[in-house]
Amino acid sequence: MLTDINPKLPMRDKSVTKAFYMNKLGFKIFGSADFDGYLMMEKDQIQIHFFEFKALDPKENYGQVYIRTDNIEQFYQLLLDRKTNIHPNGPLAIKPWGQKEFSLLDPDNNLITFGESM
């Protein structure tokens, strides 16, 4: 019955969010329509949607997404090559729960964690 999930995260500035996800993470715009105050981005089989929230205080934003990958080391290196800031507490590491993970913050302080099963 359930086939997909597309998380929706807050963004203050659509152009800043779009540039970050395209230039730093390698996402592209999903769809051909440009909706006012809404953005849909995709990479491979992953989609993330964003809604405009101009009054968002990034210090009070707790948006989070966990994305599974099948080649985390290659993706991690790609982000490092693009000079993407990795979360200071989230470098690539093997976690006690059997996942290899790393995390980063987007321009609105949404926590994006990537993980691969060991």
Side-chain angles (χ1 to χ4, degrees):
M1 290 167 92
L2 304 180
T3 62
D4 248 337
I5 186 167
N6 300 313
K8 293 168 68 172
L9 297 173
M11 66 177 171
R12 292 172 293 163
D13 184 314
K14 185 176 179 176
S15 63
V16 170
T17 298
K18 181 169 48 173
F20 176 82
Y21 280 85
M22 289 177 79
N23 300 330
K24 296 294 187 177
L25 304 184
F27 278 66
K28 62 182 182 176
I29 295 172
F30 175 77
S32 59
D34 185 12
F35 300 104
D36 187 37
Y38 201 79
L39 175 65
M40 297 180 290
M41 304 290 295
E42 72 175 344
K43 179 172 178 58
D44 302 324
Q45 302 302 311
I46 301 300
Q47 271 188 41
I48 303 175
H49 295 205
F50 301 89
F51 62 94
E52 188 174 69
F53 184 8
K54 289 186 184 267
L56 176 69
D57 178 352
K59 294 176 186 168
E60 295 182 11
N61 181 16
Y62 300 101
Q64 299 183 34
V65 174
Y66 191 98
I67 300 172
R68 296 193 184 276
T69 178
D70 60 6
N71 194 338
I72 197 163
E73 291 176 10
Q74 180 181 2
F75 187 59
Y76 186 72
Q77 188 59 53
L78 174 73
L79 298 186
L80 293 178
D81 293 346
R82 291 181 175 174
K83 310 253 187 273
T84 305
N85 290 329
I86 304 303
H87 192 287
N89 298 326
L92 185 60
I94 297 173
K95 302 297 183 179
W97 45 90
Q99 291 285 110
K100 191 180 287 190
E101 297 179 353
F102 72 93
S103 299
L104 55 89
L105 294 170
D106 77 3
D108 296 300
N109 215 39
N110 292 302
L111 180 68
I112 313 298
T113 302
F114 297 91
E116 180 178 2
S117 295
M118 297 298 302

